[in-house]
Amino acid sequence: MRFLHTSDWHFGRTLHGTDLREAYEMWADHVVGLAHTHDLDAVLISGDVFDRGIPPVSMVRLLSETLQRLAEVTTVIITPGNHDAPTRLGFTAGLLKDNVVIATDPSQVGTPVQVRRNGEPVGYVYALPYLEPDIDRFRLALDPQSPLARSHEAVVGAAIDRVAENIEHTIANHPDQAELPRVIMAHEFVVGGQPSQSERDLHIGGVDSVPSALFDIRIDGKSVIDYVALGHLHGPQQVHAEPPMRYAGSPLPFSFSEEHHTKSSVLVSIEHAGAVPDIELIPAPVYRPLATLRGSFDELISAQYAQFHDHFVRIYVTDIDRPDRMLARLRHYFPYVLEAHHDIGLKQLASYDLNPAKIDPREILVEFFVSAGGRELTPDELALITAQWEELGKVEK
């Protein structure tokens, strides 16, 4: 089985109010191109295809067109994340073609999507929609009168139990299918993942993460899950656990905390059940790079920073005095500036930051202004402090 693992498309999201429609269109063309050139059996989208429950019409149209294009050459499997509204995302699920699946029903987590190549099954995908503890603790409980614990671990664990039951039944009753690879899709914060600042919190009832061991389904001591396709965290990364599991990450950066991410999708090839997946990270197209710049105003507008003219930039201007019309003038050199800060390096000091060994209190004041004010006192300022100190000394005497 050969598939492309993606997640967190977040169609409709902006970056500091900037419209990213062209970036989403670029990403959609990229994924369709990979489906054509890499002979994919499936494209997985592990949650948050939209950024909110009621997405812009233009983004609904873009997703619809993208799915139509992908369905011509491969199977597409989508699960909702914590941003999507499962009911709205899945309202057409019953009308879709066999090779476009939107898995929104938690009660069906134990029923896999059978991925086919030329009509023959090549693998199974267990697609878990984002599970809301407050709701799914009742829906996934064996007895609705005895709900599960109010945590992500409890509801995801119950869903995985259903997956395990299906796998055990399949292996026992269909030995010819025992060697087909099995993949789980999930939109969760798995312990060991490294978050950024742009993911919406999954914090529910004080328990917002799930252990990776939940996904390690074993039958007769043998792991029967070959890959876990995770969504939610925006940085592409491997979670070091068995079975192999990765976050595909978002295709676009949505905050400056993602400035140094290398966005990508995951091309996964699995020969048979139990085989080590072959993993290839395919870089995502870069619409406009992010950069953080820091320096004096004159430095920033010099040729030294000309290379960032077409970047989305966050700028820290370090002049002691705030430059006149700072933002307007910066926009002349950096048309895509998203943040501009006047930052002179002020910091909050504790008493132990100062040297108590100083005998002359004026020296302590000089040290304080250098540490907290970012500059030394001018001769006139030092003379004024000296005069005031001497005057105070006369009063005390």
Side-chain angles (χ1 to χ4, degrees), residues 148-351:
L148 303 168
R150 187 172 175 263
S151 71
H152 283 273
E153 181 176 352
V155 294
V156 174
I160 295 298
D161 286 343
R162 297 193 181 197
V163 173
E165 290 174 7
N166 178 269
I167 294 175
E168 190 167 13
H169 179 269
T170 301
I171 291 176
N173 294 278
H174 304 280
D176 57 314
Q177 299 178 21
E179 292 303 308
L180 295 181
R182 294 174 179 84
V183 174
I184 292 177
M185 296 172 65
H187 191 88
E188 294 291 340
F189 181 13
V190 175
V191 174
Q194 297 298 314
S196 63
Q197 295 176 0
S198 63
E199 298 102 2
R200 183 175 297 167
D201 195 4
L202 290 181
H203 190 87
I204 298 292
V207 183
D208 62 347
S209 60
V210 300
S212 57
L214 277 185
F215 299 94
D216 188 14
I217 301 174
R218 291 179 176 268
I219 297 177
D220 296 329
K222 179 181 178 183
S223 179
V224 293
I225 298 299
D226 298 292
Y227 183 81
V228 181
L230 295 171
H232 178 53
L233 299 187
H234 292 176
Q237 58 192 282
Q238 179 179 354
V239 178
H240 297 286
E242 188 179 357
M245 57 182 68
R246 295 192 66 95
Y247 283 100
S250 62
L252 305 177
F254 297 116
S255 75
F256 280 95
S257 68
E258 301 175 57
E259 177 180 341
H260 301 296
H261 288 181
T262 300
K263 299 299 186 179
S264 60
S265 52
V266 189
L267 181 63
V268 184
S269 299
I270 309 174
E271 288 294 329
H272 55 78
V276 177
D278 181 56
I279 302 294
E280 179 184 352
L281 301 184
I282 301 179
V286 178
Y287 172 65
R288 200 176 296 284
L290 270 62
T292 297
L293 312 180
R294 183 185 298 272
S296 69
F297 191 86
D298 288 340
E299 289 172 341
L300 290 165
I301 65 175
S302 68
Q304 177 183 353
Y305 292 93
Q307 61 182 304
F308 300 103
H309 176 83
D310 292 326
H311 287 49
F312 285 134
V313 293
R314 172 176 59 177
I315 298 178
Y316 293 93
V317 181
T318 60
D319 299 66
I320 296 300
D321 298 317
R322 182 182 177 89
D324 184 46
R325 299 175 51 251
M326 184 181 76
L327 180 57
R329 293 164 65 194
L330 285 173
R331 288 195 187 281
H332 177 73
Y333 297 93
F334 304 100
Y336 304 103
V337 59
L338 301 182
E339 293 184 28
H341 306 275
H342 182 221
D343 180 14
I344 59 174
L346 297 176
K347 69 175 184 178
Q348 193 171 18
L349 295 180
S351 59

Side-chain angles (χ1 to χ4, degrees), residues 320 362 365-366 369 375-389:
I320 296 300
R362 287 170 295 184
L365 287 173
V366 169
F369 274 96
R375 65 178 178 86
E376 296 184 356
L377 293 172
T378 67
D380 289 343
E381 290 169 336
L382 184 58
L384 177 61
I385 289 175
T386 300
Q388 292 296 318
W389 179 253

Side-chain angles (χ1 to χ4, degrees), residues 107-157:
S107 68
Q108 297 300 310
V109 293
T111 303
V113 178
Q114 190 177 73
V115 178
R116 293 177 172 270
R117 174 186 287 262
N118 299 323
E120 295 298 321
V122 293
Y124 291 110
V125 175
Y126 293 86
L128 277 60
Y130 169 68
L131 300 173
E132 177 63 68
D134 280 334
I135 299 173
D136 294 312
R137 60 194 292 250
F138 295 94
R139 293 196 294 200
L140 293 174
L142 295 177
D143 178 3
Q145 301 302 316
S146 300
L148 303 168
R150 187 172 175 263
S151 71
H152 283 273
E153 181 176 352
V155 294
V156 174

